[in-house]
Structures are given as C-alpha cells and as structure tokens.
Amino acid sequence: MLSIRHLTVSFPGTIAVNDISLDIGTSEIVGIVGESGSGKSVTALSIMRLVQPAAGSMLYDNVNLSDLSEQQMRAWRGNEIAMIFQEPMTSLNPLHTCGAQVMEAIRLHKKVSAQEAREQTLALFRQVKLPDPESLLHRYPHQLSGGQKQRVMIAMAISCQPRLLIADEPTTALDVTVQKAILELLKELQQQTGMSVVFITHDLGVIAEIADKVAVMYKGRIVEQGTVQQLFTHPQHPYTKGLLACRPPLDKRLYRLPVIRDFMEVDADGFIHEKEKAVKGLVNSLEIPTAEIAGREQQLATNPLLLEVNDLHTWFPATRNFLGKTLTWTKAVNGVSFNVREGETMGLVGESGCGKTTLGRTLLRLVEPTSGSIIYKGKDISSLSASAMRDLRKDIQIIFQDPYSSLNPRLTIGQAILEPMHVHGLHSNDKVRKEKVQELLEKVNLQPEHYHRYPHEFSGGQRQRIVIARALALQPSFIICDESVAALDVSIQAQVLNLLMQLRDEFGFTYIFISHDLSVVRFISDRMMVMNKGKIEESGDANQVYEHPQSIYTRQLISSIPKNIHV
C-alpha cells in the first residue's frame, strides 16, 4: 500500500530522518519503535505531509505523496490516510464538544447533513466502545478521562474509513488496563475494516501485542526491521537488544535493569560499536538470589517504623446546594491504613483516579486530610501548623510526575537545586551550596557545568534527574516518587529506576513509589499496596502480591501488562 524509499527530513542544524526505506502492506500492522528523538513521529508527520521531506519518495498506490500540492494532500488526509496524535488533550479543541469535533471531520470530507453526521458520530462512539455515547456527544474534552479522549481521537481518525491509520504513541502514559483496552480496540477495528496501521511507540512490549512487522529507529535511521517473531527471538542490532532488556522482567528480581550502554557504545564520529553481551546472559547475571531477597526482608522487619497511617480520609466536595452546603463528596482517599519501615521501598499501584497521588500529597500535607492520623517518626503530623510542617518538609521530599512543570523555567537548574538549601539555611554560604549542587549533579549522572543551563535545554530523562537532585538537596530520609518514570522512554526509565535504587542503597532512603505500572513497582519495591477507588485492595510482599494476587482488581492489572517479551 505504501512504499517509502530513501526518505530524508531535515531541520536547521539537524537531520531528523536519515535515508529510511519502509514498506507497509495492505491490512498490515507495522510498528515503528525507538526512543524519543529517534525520528518516529517525524516519519509519521512526513507521510501525512505535515512535515515536508527534503528527499525521497512515498508511493501510495503508485501516487508519490511528495509530489502532491498542499490542496491535493488535504483531500487525502482523513479520507485515505488518518492519524491519531500522541496527546489527545492537545489534539482536541477545548472550546468545542467532542461530538461537534467528530461531526466537523465527517462533514469536511463527506457531503452529508448535520443530522446524518450526528448519527454517524454516535455510531462511531459506539464502535470505539465509549460509555453513554449520547451524553459524551455533548461533553468537552476536559470532562473525559485519558482513555475516553483517546477513543474520541480514534473515532475521529476512522470517521472517513481511511485505508491507512497512523497511531503516534496512542497509549503513552495511559494505565496498563486502559492501554490494553486501546490496543484491543485498534486491533479489532483493523480486522473489521481491513485498514493498514502504522503504530509508533517507544515500548517493544506494546509492539509485541499488536504488530505484524517492526522497524527499529535510532537517531533518524532504521537500524533493524523484520517480523515480530524474528525481532523478539533473534534481535541483530545491539540497540534492539538493549530495548528488549530495558523493561523490568516479569519472572525475576534484578539488582539493576539493563540499559542501552550495556550492549553498545557510540564513538565521537557517531559509529556504533557492539559490546559482546547476550541479553539473556546479562539479565540472568543481574538476578538477585532468593536468599538475598529473604535476608533483606528479615532486615527490614527489624527496622523501626518511619511512617504509620491510620484510617486516613481525604474527601473533596462533589456537589453543593444553593447555600453552598456540600451534598456529596468525592472520596479520593477513603479509610487507608498502612506503615512503612526505615529503609523500605513501599510501592503504591493503581489506575488513574484511584487516589494514589492524593494519598502521596496528603502525607506531605500538600492536600489537607479530612480525618485520620499520619504519624511520622512517632509524631502525628496531621495537625501540625503550617510553619512546623514547612520545617518537616526538609526531611520529607516529593518527586513530581512531570519534571518540566515542577521546575521554574526562569531559573537555571543550579539555582533551582540551590534554592531549597537557601530557604532551609543548609550550609554556611552560597559558595558552599553551589559546590554541593555540583556534587549532586554528578551524583545523578549530569555534569557540573550543567549548573548554568535552563530546564528547556534538557531531555525528559535529564529533567527527571534534575528534580531527583533537587529532592536530595535537603538530605531527606523519606522520598515520595509520584509517577516519576511514567512518561519516559523504557530505556530512560530503566536508567532513572537504577539511579533511585543506587541512591536508596547508598543513603538508606525510604521511598513510597507511586505508579500505574505494576511491573515497575514490583522491580523497585520491597512491599506493595494496590489501590482502587480510594481504598487499599491488597498489600504485602511485592513478589507475593505479583505472583499470588488475592483480589480480582490486582489480577486485572497483572493481566494487562504486555507479556510477549522473552529475554
């Protein structure tokens, strides 16, 4: 259906896509996988001619898309080739209802009445399995969950029955259960309509669930391509081997996760040199012996309690009457009790909206609890004054989900890390503080000279390291990690998880690690709690909860993890 030959796309100062060739057959799902910046999305935008290629051809049924005028291409977009963009919230217009936006797409390409467009939109909403389609027709994007917004985008993309659908990271940062539902939906729609799909992601586990054929991109080039079976059983390129090994394995506990540099190194001229390491051998060499896991459990059991949470509730007003009296409540945290020992990592897992983040913020009193007690080092902090709480926050730090929005764009990263030291009066003067900041940057594998750079000059993974350094600046003993690796590439995610493990072992930190990804939580945690609708469904040793889940909800979470990777 589509034959891409020697496609090159360049921007001032960089070549984003470098001489790639790829074939997409009729009714075929082709995965394009690689890290951020590898050229995946630029390739997709080039096919849609939303980015103008510098060289090469794209033959779609013997028509070269590169030769079409903008007016001609506009007729092809939506009708023949459609695209689901990565972030549905920024792709949907916040000023128009979801129904109006899909109807607009239909009426733009089809000569139908407004009533017919409405009927088709309702049928599409049912096809993509949106609940209560009549109601969602009149809702705005901000009133829908992430998974529902993604379904609206899919409905819009398939509204004109395209023959080729490009899905650009459609499941990134979604819960594993929602991700599984979206993957099943796309597969089902592809089988119903016979359309071809180009599926772009950074996660080979997701590719294994959906694709027939895979192309692996690295720094603008396709370094390896073949069937899913070939790629997963006999990967040839060291970069592919690294990507396969980066996800936390489901059948063993490791000292650290393998990373890309375990399999390859790039010299000053950009040439890749493979390190002679087999994926399976490396993963096996990193496995923690069962006796060592048991020894750590016994040691932690003798450590004093650091945090005790008793019957904690955090409720928010949901509806009020005309006098302002609250009629109903949103019970974000509803009767939660648990404890954490010194040096322990407690994992907290659950879907979006289950109350994980609210619980983490309540522990820090960034959100005030409705009732219950939070006892930290023997002192109930749930009723401390604001000034006393401010002093305590030196000992309890949080790493937020989105590092970019939690850093001030007007401060250099050095100033951002130094500021909390200054506020809490740590160290004698700013000269000493600056030296400490540079030490911290090295500790999180950044360079001391990065001190004078601004947040926008760093990648997502580097920004996450910066906020980790800022959390360490006050020498805390307790850190809450709130979805701190959710939106990172699997290879960068592995590096950040390894860093957190290394810092825990070096400084004896106690963590609460919040995530929707149960495989990640299992890798890093000693014990695990599964949260659902404001309550703790079950808790216990991380291995026990994963291998012998007691609740139906936990079993659903585990069954949603991509499992078609065998290393």
Side-chain angles (χ1 to χ4, degrees):
M1 179 181 286
L2 179 66
S3 182
I4 299 170
R5 289 291 175 269
H6 306 295
L7 181 70
T8 299
V9 183
S10 58
F11 301 112
T14 186
I15 298 174
V17 175
N18 194 353
D19 192 30
I20 71 165
S21 296
L22 180 67
D23 290 322
I24 294 131
T26 304
S27 300
E28 187 174 50
I29 301 179
V30 177
I32 301 180
V33 70
E35 296 171 291
S36 295
S38 62
K40 311 184 301 293
S41 293
V42 176
T43 301
L45 293 171
S46 301
I47 296 170
M48 293 287 286
R49 281 280 307 284
L50 297 172
V51 169
Q52 187 61 43
S57 64
M58 296 179 290
L59 290 178
Y60 183 95
D61 280 353
N62 296 318
V63 175
N64 191 351
L65 300 179
S66 303
D67 294 339
L68 297 179
S69 67
E70 179 56 31
Q71 189 172 356
Q72 289 172 317
M73 193 64 210
R74 199 174 296 129
W76 282 65
R77 292 189 199 114
N79 268 335
E80 287 287 332
I81 309 171
M83 186 165 177
I84 305 165
F85 292 94
Q86 180 170 353
E87 179 43 71
M89 194 63 212
T90 55
S91 305
L92 292 168
N93 190 325
L95 302 178
H96 295 280
T97 63
C98 295
Q101 295 183 62
V102 179
M103 284 184 259
E104 180 188 31
I106 291 169
R107 297 195 71 190
L108 188 68
H109 291 284
K110 295 180 177 179
K111 304 302 179 190
V112 296
S113 66
Q115 180 60 31
E116 178 61 23
R118 185 182 187 279
E119 292 302 320
Q120 288 187 25
T121 300
L122 274 173
L124 285 164
F125 279 10
R126 292 188 190 102
Q127 192 176 2
V128 299
K129 299 177 182 174
L130 277 166
D132 195 6
E134 286 276 0
S135 169
L136 288 181
L137 209 63
H138 305 288
R139 288 196 200 169
Y140 290 88
H142 72 273
Q143 296 175 300
L144 274 62
S145 70
Q148 288 173 336
K149 284 195 283 275
Q150 200 59 281
R151 287 171 189 267
V152 171
M153 285 295 299
I154 293 169
M156 193 185 299
I158 65 170
S159 61
C160 297
Q161 292 96 40
R163 293 177 59 212
L164 176 61
L165 178 67
I166 301 169
D168 185 11
E169 298 266 16
T171 60
T172 298
L174 292 179
D175 301 334
V176 285
T177 48
V178 180
Q179 171 180 277
K180 185 179 181 182
I182 294 293
L183 292 176
E184 287 174 350
L185 172 63
L186 285 172
K187 191 98 173 174
E188 188 180 315
L189 290 171
Q190 186 266 339
Q191 289 168 353
Q192 287 173 4
T193 62
M195 64 183 172
S196 300
V197 178
V198 175
F199 192 96
I200 296 169
T201 182
H202 62 258
D203 191 342
L204 272 166
V206 171
I207 286 290
E209 295 281 310
I210 194 168
D212 304 309
K213 193 168 74 178
V214 193
V216 181
M217 288 192 76
Y218 177 71
K219 293 193 173 178
R221 295 181 180 274
I222 292 179
V223 294
E224 183 169 359
Q225 58 180 306
T227 66
V228 167
Q229 184 68 20
Q230 288 168 346
L231 204 80
F232 283 81
T233 54
H234 301 291
Q236 300 301 308
H237 197 275
Y239 179 68
T240 311
K241 294 174 185 176
L243 282 181
L244 280 167
C246 282
R247 265 197 81 83
L250 302 171
D251 58 345
K252 48 177 73 78
R253 297 286 293 271
L254 306 183
Y255 289 108
R256 69 170 180 87
L257 292 172
V259 293
I260 300 293
R261 65 173 176 268
D262 287 323
F263 301 93
M264 59 180 262
E265 54 188 21
V266 183
D267 64 23
D269 298 318
F271 290 106
I272 296 169
H273 301 279
E274 181 172 5
K275 295 180 179 178
E276 290 299 321
K277 283 186 179 176
V279 175
K280 192 168 185 176
L282 177 62
V283 172
N284 288 341
S285 72
L286 294 172
E287 185 175 0
I288 305 174
T290 306
E292 195 170 319
I293 295 172
R296 177 171 168 81
E297 287 173 6
Q298 290 170 2
Q299 174 60 48
L300 288 171
T302 64
N303 288 0
L305 287 175
L306 184 80
L307 179 74
E308 297 173 74
V309 177
N310 300 305
D311 197 28
L312 189 67
H313 295 76
T314 306
W315 295 3
F316 302 104
T319 58
R320 302 177 192 266
N321 64 15
F322 70 100
L323 294 174
K325 183 182 177 182
T326 300
L327 299 176
T328 59
W329 297 86
T330 298
K331 300 176 180 180
V333 177
N334 193 17
V336 167
S337 300
F338 65 95
N339 58 60
V340 184
R341 295 189 176 273
E342 286 185 9
E344 184 177 35
T345 299
M346 171 67 82
L348 180 59
V349 68
E351 297 174 288
S352 294
C354 72
K356 308 185 301 292
T357 294
T358 303
L359 175 57
R361 293 182 179 217
T362 303
L363 297 178
L364 272 168
R365 295 269 309 281
L366 297 173
V367 173
E368 289 299 326
T370 305
S371 64
S373 64
I374 306 165
I375 298 168
Y376 179 72
K377 291 185 175 178
K379 178 191 278 188
D380 190 346
I381 66 172
S382 53
S383 56
L384 285 182
S385 66
S387 59
M389 198 64 217
R390 199 174 299 120
D391 290 338
L392 183 64
R393 287 202 184 103
K394 183 168 61 175
D395 202 43
I396 310 174
Q397 285 290 297
I398 185 167
I399 300 169
F400 292 101
Q401 179 171 357
D402 182 356
Y404 194 61
S405 63
S406 62
L407 289 167
N408 188 331
R410 293 184 176 140
L411 295 181
T412 67
I413 65 154
Q415 292 169 324
I417 298 169
L418 186 144
E419 184 181 39
M421 295 181 184
H422 188 80
V423 168
H424 288 279
L426 256 67
H427 313 300
S428 54
N429 56 53
D430 278 350
K431 183 174 181 289
V432 176
R433 291 181 190 119
K434 182 177 179 180
E435 289 171 359
K436 292 291 181 185
V437 170
Q438 290 175 326
E439 285 177 22
L440 282 170
L441 288 173
E442 288 186 303
K443 184 67 69 180
V444 297
N445 300 323
L446 293 170
Q447 303 302 316
E449 53 268 26
H450 288 158
Y451 183 98
H452 299 287
R453 292 191 190 173
Y454 289 87
H456 72 270
E457 297 180 81
F458 295 90
S459 69
Q462 287 173 321
R463 282 197 288 265
Q464 198 61 278
R465 292 169 185 276
I466 292 162
V467 295
I468 290 172
R470 186 178 60 180
L472 300 180
L474 295 175
Q475 300 160 4
S477 56
F478 181 37
I479 299 175
I480 297 171
C481 304
D482 183 13
E483 296 274 16
S484 51
V485 297
L488 299 178
D489 296 338
V490 286
S491 53
I492 307 299
Q493 175 181 281
Q495 293 172 25
V496 173
L497 289 171
N498 288 342
L499 173 63
L500 290 170
M501 292 277 277
Q502 176 193 325
L503 294 169
R504 182 194 73 182
D505 295 340
E506 187 173 341
F507 296 104
F509 289 137
T510 305
Y511 290 129
I512 287 183
F513 190 91
I514 300 170
S515 177
H516 63 256
D517 189 334
L518 202 143
S519 60
V520 167
V521 170
R522 179 179 183 246
F523 164 73
I524 200 168
S525 304
D526 299 301
R527 285 191 297 139
M528 183 193 302
M529 298 186 294
V530 181
M531 197 168 183
N532 182 26
K533 296 178 181 176
K535 294 180 177 289
I536 302 299
E537 283 271 333
E538 69 177 289
S539 64
D541 171 76
N543 278 349
Q544 282 294 113
V545 171
Y546 181 82
E547 291 166 8
H548 306 287
Q550 300 302 303
S551 81
I552 294 170
Y553 179 72
T554 308
R555 288 197 284 271
Q556 287 173 343
L557 282 180
I558 293 169
S559 69
S560 299
I561 302 169
K563 294 182 175 62
N564 289 356
I565 296 184
H566 303 286
V567 292

